[in-house]
Amino acid sequence: MAILQAKLIFSVLSVFCMIILVSAHNKIYTPPSVTRLTDLFPRISIDNGFSKSFGASNIQLTGNGSMATIALDKSSGSGLLSKNMYNYGFFSAAIKLPAGLTSGVVVAFYLSNAGVFPHNHDEIDIELLGHDKRNDWVFQTNIYSNGSVSTGREEKFYLWFDPTTQHHQYSILWNNHHIVFLADNIPVREFRRNSAFPSIFPSKPMQVYATIWDGSEWATHGGKYGVDYKYAPFVASIADVEMNGCQSNPTGTVVSCSKAPSSSDPVNGEEFASLSKQQVSAMDWARRKLMFYSYCQDTRRFKVLPPECT
């Protein structure tokens, strides 16, 4: 009887600990104060800046073209593609994610040149991954360079806010010095250019994408939970888009550049060459509290860690 009671107590404690762990994922934090980079650059209307890439019937423009909804249903996902290519810049969108059970759903805001360089393309990815019954979306960042798709450089974070109740800003700063990923202007990851490993840093012109699609094979717990289309359509809302940098043709020839927010060039100006102390502190806060996966710590996946990790 005593053994049975002990087992019962242990089981209850185990479940309680799991509940605490799950609840911690959904905890709402108050982030540090930082400079709002999104306030430094002008916005562009979606109808002026983007074309419909796929799933046109699942894309709706609203607010005189300043906003859009993109949807995933059983027939198709959908996506927007920028009309111009950019060679460095600041790119941002306010996104409201689908609520409810969203396992397998991927909402992505990213840069890519796969259409122009299919065998050695670059990518800078923000991928928002739907989850299981906990409904806690995951913020995944990733970088590919020169077709190195076999070496994904993923880092994953829980968010400190509910991304389904209102729009939140997801941003990428990409210049000759570093790549910075931000959520609501809080830097969560910095990937610095390293002269010792130049081939791993994206440097070719890219277009901007905003998409929603079925990632059942991998997105939620490695593909354990796929999209359940009885909850479809899954709709993401996009607003307050910013695409500021140097427009370029595929060869890298600059066509035109956005106006700088100050006297500095927004692409490679001194004020954007490194993070401020305030931003470094905020990034440390995000990584300590909310990052739960980094490829640089995955010794099961990599027998020898990628060179920039050491």
Side-chain angles (χ1 to χ4, degrees), residues 40-265:
L40 301 180
F41 300 96
R43 295 168 182 168
I44 183 171
S45 66
I46 291 175
D47 59 346
N48 285 336
F50 288 89
S51 300
K52 295 179 180 180
S53 176
F54 67 98
S57 62
N58 282 349
I59 300 172
Q60 302 295 326
L61 297 180
T62 60
N64 293 320
S66 64
M67 301 175 65
T69 58
I70 54 176
L72 166 68
D73 58 26
K74 202 165 186 178
S75 65
S76 177
S78 53
L80 299 164
L81 169 65
S82 69
K83 296 177 181 178
N84 297 309
M85 300 189 80
Y86 296 86
N87 202 1
Y88 303 139
F90 180 78
F91 310 93
S92 185
I95 302 173
K96 181 182 177 183
L97 296 175
L101 186 63
T102 54
S103 58
V105 178
V106 179
V107 177
F109 180 70
Y110 66 104
L111 308 173
S112 177
N113 50 32
V116 179
F117 303 102
H119 303 297
N120 64 333
H121 84 282
D122 305 316
E123 275 191 32
I124 304 173
D125 298 338
I126 288 176
E127 294 170 319
L128 300 155
L129 312 180
H131 239 245
D132 52 22
K133 295 179 181 179
R134 296 196 303 268
N135 298 326
D136 48 347
W137 282 82
V138 168
F139 179 25
Q140 174 170 283
T141 66
N142 202 357
I143 296 166
Y144 296 118
S145 179
N146 294 305
S148 61
V149 294
S150 62
T151 307
R153 292 174 163 83
E154 302 95 338
E155 289 192 339
K156 298 182 181 182
F157 304 80
Y158 292 113
L159 295 165
W160 55 92
F161 50 80
D162 184 344
T164 68
T165 58
Q166 61 186 35
H167 290 80
H168 291 269
Q169 288 281 355
Y170 303 91
S171 312
I172 296 168
L173 172 64
W174 170 46
N175 59 30
N176 191 46
H177 308 285
H178 57 177
I179 297 165
V180 183
F181 297 90
L182 309 97
D184 279 351
N185 290 284
I186 300 292
V188 300
R189 179 182 183 183
E190 180 186 30
F191 188 82
R192 294 200 63 82
R193 189 184 193 114
N194 190 327
S195 58
F197 316 110
S199 64
I200 67 173
F201 193 88
S203 57
K204 297 188 293 295
M206 292 190 274
Q207 289 173 282
V208 185
Y209 292 76
T211 62
I212 185 170
W213 44 281
D214 185 330
S216 292
E217 293 184 0
W218 64 273
T220 304
H221 292 308
K224 184 177 180 180
Y225 302 102
V227 176
D228 189 340
Y229 282 101
K230 73 180 180 183
Y231 298 102
F234 304 96
V235 180
S237 174
I238 302 171
D240 297 343
V241 173
E242 300 175 17
M243 296 189 291
N244 294 272
C246 286
Q247 296 177 18
S248 173
N249 61 31
T251 64
T253 302
V254 173
V255 178
S256 64
C257 289
S258 305
K259 292 182 179 180
S262 67
S263 58
S264 298
D265 184 338

Side-chain angles (χ1 to χ4, degrees), residues 27-33 160-161 186 285-286 289-290:
K27 187 172 182 179
I28 305 299
Y29 291 100
T30 300
S33 297
W160 55 92
F161 50 80
I186 300 292
W285 171 86
K289 286 188 174 292
L290 297 157

